[in-house]
Amino acid sequence: MTKPTTVLITGASTGIGATYAERFAQRGHSLVLVARDKKRLDALAAQLREKHNVSVDVLQADLTQSGDLTTVETRLRDDSSIGILVNNAGAAQSGSFIEQSTESVAQLVTLNTTALVRLASAIAPRLAQAGDGAIINIGSVVGLAPEFGMTVYGATKAFVLFLSQGMSLELAPKGVYVQAVLPAATRTEIWERAGIDINTLNDVMEVGDLVDAALVGFDRREPVTIPPLQDADRWDALQAARQGLLSQIRQAEVAERYKARQ
């Protein structure tokens, strides 16, 4: 492309989303910024227009609301200038599984999984037809580790990883790049909104460092980028072990250990 494609970013008013907006504007991309807080979006948009001389549209939306989600989906389907989707909007919540209300769990799942997959589904066919474009899905290392104790949040992020890997297998041959980004604890407002004191957490990454690392992975076209992982061989070994299971789980015969003893 002679002109950088437009980037639509969800959860763009602060934190990871706002930092992605800054970095892509710095690269010369026009932006569509999506979030609930219009005042913050307008302030960020004005700043980016002045600093980087790029076009910035603001789209106020609560992605847990069907009507707002449909509005963003329509923009992704119809606006052919949008070639990159950053699926960043998400939430966490404090408390154990039995302490969380059914309503709050449903709200979390709606935002972290349903909205994300619907937006990806809205743009993917158009990108595949064009043979170009990218979808960045923000997951979490928590999706790899039930031991961290954030059961529902971690489950939604495991969904994001699986979805991204499956989409990559389907869409990469059609020219569409899909990246899953798995941050560890990052200094954003998600913790305060979840009722968690960030000062009680150890080894918190700065948001600028996180996004800059994720964009290195983006430029390298990594399917999965884990900015805090120091030894990349660990991820490769995990993937190899998973691949090694495939031939063992596609069997017509019940495993010997599950056969009834006579």
Side-chain angles (χ1 to χ4, degrees):
M1 298 180 182
T2 56
K3 181 182 178 182
T5 187
T6 298
V7 184
L8 186 145
I9 305 169
T10 66
S13 62
T14 186
I16 292 172
T19 306
Y20 263 110
E22 163 66 30
R23 300 302 192 261
F24 274 118
Q26 192 173 37
R27 294 179 174 208
H29 292 268
S30 296
L31 302 170
V32 179
L33 305 181
V34 180
R36 293 177 299 175
D37 191 330
K38 190 172 187 299
K39 184 176 180 181
R40 275 184 162 182
L41 286 178
D42 286 338
L44 177 61
Q47 174 189 325
L48 295 176
R49 291 186 196 108
E50 180 178 358
K51 185 176 180 181
H52 299 292
N53 193 29
V54 295
S55 172
V56 185
D57 288 349
V58 164
L59 192 55
Q60 183 182 24
D62 180 345
L63 298 181
T64 66
Q65 300 302 309
S66 181
D68 288 4
L69 183 55
T70 298
T71 298
V72 182
E73 288 174 328
T74 300
R75 181 68 180 268
L76 288 169
R77 288 193 185 99
D78 295 348
D79 188 343
S80 60
S81 73
I82 298 174
I84 300 174
L85 166 64
V86 182
N87 251 328
N88 166 69
Q93 61 179 314
S94 60
S96 68
F97 182 70
I98 61 173
E99 293 171 334
Q100 296 165 351
S101 71
T102 303
E103 182 179 348
S104 70
V105 165
Q107 192 88 340
L108 187 71
V109 171
T110 297
L111 179 59
N112 288 8
T113 64
T114 304
L116 180 142
V117 73
R118 283 184 57 170
L119 295 184
S121 178
I123 194 175
R126 180 171 60 76
L127 298 184
Q129 185 174 17
D132 196 13
I135 299 172
I136 302 171
N137 293 324
I138 306 300
S140 170
V141 297
V142 179
L144 300 171
E147 294 82 1
F148 286 173
M150 301 176 71
T151 301
V152 178
Y153 174 79
T156 66
K157 294 306 183 177
F159 174 90
V160 172
L161 175 60
F162 188 105
L163 178 73
S164 301
Q165 291 174 306
M167 287 171 55
S168 183
L169 289 171
E170 291 189 34
L171 296 176
K174 301 180 185 298
V176 181
Y177 167 53
V178 180
Q179 180 193 29
V181 177
L182 277 54
T186 305
R187 196 175 301 280
T188 70
E189 293 180 8
I190 192 172
W191 304 105
E192 181 181 349
R193 292 173 182 167
I196 299 170
D197 183 358
I198 196 171
N199 296 314
T200 64
L201 304 177
N202 296 320
D203 301 321
V204 179
M205 186 175 289
E206 298 300 325
V207 67
D209 294 339
L210 180 280
V211 174
D212 287 339
L215 286 170
V216 171
F218 178 86
D219 293 337
R220 292 175 179 170
R221 291 304 191 251
E222 290 182 348
V224 179
T225 298
I226 310 177
L229 182 62
Q230 298 295 326
D231 184 356
D233 289 343
R234 291 293 185 94
W235 175 253
D236 294 338
L238 180 62
Q239 290 297 91
R242 185 182 61 79
Q243 290 285 339
L245 281 174
L246 298 184
S247 63
Q248 295 295 313
I249 59 178
R250 301 169 85 173
Q251 303 284 336
E253 290 286 327
V254 171
E256 190 66 33
R257 68 184 180 280
Y258 294 122
K259 292 180 180 177
R261 298 289 183 240
Q262 298 298 328

